[in-house]
Amino acid sequence: MSYSLPAPFDVKLMNVTATVLFVGVAALGLAAVSWWALRHPAFNIGRIVVEGELVHNNTVTLRANVAPVLTGNFFTVDLKGAKAAFEQVPWVREAQVRRDYPNSLRVILHEHVAEAFWGPDSGTGLVNSFGEVFEANLGELDRDGLPRLQGPEDSAPQMLQMYRLLVPALGPLDVEIDGLTLNARGSWQLRLANDAQIELGGGSVEAVLQRVQRFVRTLPQITTQYKRKADAIESADLRYEDGYALRLRGVTTGTAKAPAAVRPRR
């Protein structure tokens, strides 16, 4: 039989001491390397690569605007701060920022796509394709004929959805929508490109669309009778259960000031 004797205390102490010294030296070495890397000019941010479909910005101006606010090097730069800095640039909706070894940042930008003006005629707000309101230089718009949406705060997504539904519903009239308003009571009003005002009323989206579809379906009966086209509409009120009130330019029905009440054939 063989027996193993426990190591003497001094041997154990030497082993523990050696281990502690090894770990300490390794930690000091790692700290020294980290200190060198954090301060070595080779790791300063020397390049910012910008990607994305840019319409209202270019990489030169973006780098010039954002680079001065970036602090630190490749290892220490605040990516959240860099993201926020890029998203402060006009027309930028979202920025994704990541490190690109050894001394670069790679940025993917998504710009706002304007779908409508927002607020009063004097305002500079815009609504993007996600229904979000943003501010930008209106002189940089790359689209003409945007409608104007006006409604309560935080109603832009709902209004953009309604606008997108109304465009095809009114398509047969061949008259573009110039503006859409939602008042505090939940009632909708439409302004066409020929300045015609159309009261759509309130209720569910389905109820509003049903009234619009009835109007579009039956309007040719009226315009043909008076030898007019859809662009002769001056005003219409669709808030009637079984018809609508209509005023056509150049046509006098009823009194001189009151629009005609129309109960169209189904």
Side-chain angles (χ1 to χ4, degrees), residues 32 38 44 46 111-112 147 150 156 158 165 175 186 198 200 204 209-210 218 241-242 244 260:
L38 292 176
N44 290 341
E111 288 191 336
H112 293 285
Q150 298 187 62
Q158 175 190 5
L165 293 172
V175 180
I198 302 180
L200 305 181
S204 67
L209 288 176
Q210 286 176 0
T218 59
E241 184 176 349
D242 58 351
Y244 48 83

Side-chain angles (χ1 to χ4, degrees), residues 194-205:
N194 63 344
D195 290 331
Q197 301 288 335
I198 302 180
E199 294 287 349
L200 305 181
S204 67
V205 172

Side-chain angles (χ1 to χ4, degrees), residues 39-87:
R39 290 159 178 78
H40 198 280
F43 296 105
N44 290 341
I45 300 298
R47 191 170 66 135
I48 300 175
V49 179
V50 179
E51 300 175 349
E53 296 184 7
L54 303 180
V55 176
H56 301 96
N57 291 286
N58 61 69
T59 56
V60 175
T61 56
L62 282 165
R63 283 194 290 258
N65 289 333
V66 176
V69 304
L70 297 179
T71 58
N73 65 8
F74 176 82
F75 297 102
T76 62
V77 64
D78 180 3
L79 294 184
K80 289 185 178 180
K83 170 182 168 68
F86 277 103
E87 290 178 350

Side-chain angles (χ1 to χ4, degrees), residues 3-143:
Y3 297 92
S4 58
L5 297 176
F9 176 78
D10 56 342
V11 174
K12 291 182 178 180
L13 181 61
M14 289 178 62
N15 289 338
V16 171
T17 303
T19 301
V20 171
L21 288 174
F22 176 80
V23 172
V25 170
L28 288 174
L30 181 61
V33 171
S34 299
W35 182 91
W36 174 84
L38 292 176
R39 290 159 178 78
H40 198 280
F43 296 105
N44 290 341
I45 300 298
R47 191 170 66 135
I48 300 175
V49 179
V50 179
E51 300 175 349
E53 296 184 7
L54 303 180
V55 176
H56 301 96
N57 291 286
N58 61 69
T59 56
V60 175
T61 56
L62 282 165
R63 283 194 290 258
N65 289 333
V66 176
V69 304
L70 297 179
T71 58
N73 65 8
F74 176 82
F75 297 102
T76 62
V77 64
D78 180 3
L79 294 184
K80 289 185 178 180
K83 170 182 168 68
F86 277 103
E87 290 178 350
Q88 290 299 313
V89 175
W91 288 100
V92 174
R93 176 179 179 266
E94 181 184 18
Q96 298 170 323
V97 184
R98 63 180 177 85
R99 296 178 175 89
D100 198 359
Y101 188 84
N103 62 351
S104 300
L105 290 181
R106 187 169 297 273
V107 184
I108 301 176
L109 296 182
H110 302 278
E111 288 191 336
H112 293 285
V113 177
E115 292 283 330
F117 295 107
W118 176 255
D121 293 341
S122 59
T124 59
L126 292 164
V127 180
N128 69 15
S129 54
F130 294 89
E132 301 163 340
V133 177
F134 68 102
E135 296 286 335
N137 182 1
L138 300 185
E140 297 176 352
L141 278 174
D142 57 328
R143 292 177 55 187

Side-chain angles (χ1 to χ4, degrees), residues 130-198:
F130 294 89
E132 301 163 340
V133 177
F134 68 102
E135 296 286 335
N137 182 1
L138 300 185
E140 297 176 352
L141 278 174
D142 57 328
R143 292 177 55 187
D144 295 325
L146 292 181
R148 181 168 292 277
L149 308 181
Q150 298 187 62
E153 187 177 359
D154 299 327
S155 65
Q158 175 190 5
M159 298 197 67
L160 182 61
Q161 179 190 30
M162 178 63 86
Y163 168 76
R164 288 171 170 170
L165 293 172
L166 289 172
V167 168
L170 291 165
L173 298 185
D174 197 27
V175 180
E176 294 184 353
I177 298 174
D178 188 58
L180 181 64
T181 300
L182 175 64
N183 64 29
R185 299 185 301 276
S187 184
W188 298 88
Q189 184 183 72
L190 196 64
R191 184 178 71 250
L192 301 181
N194 63 344
D195 290 331
Q197 301 288 335
I198 302 180

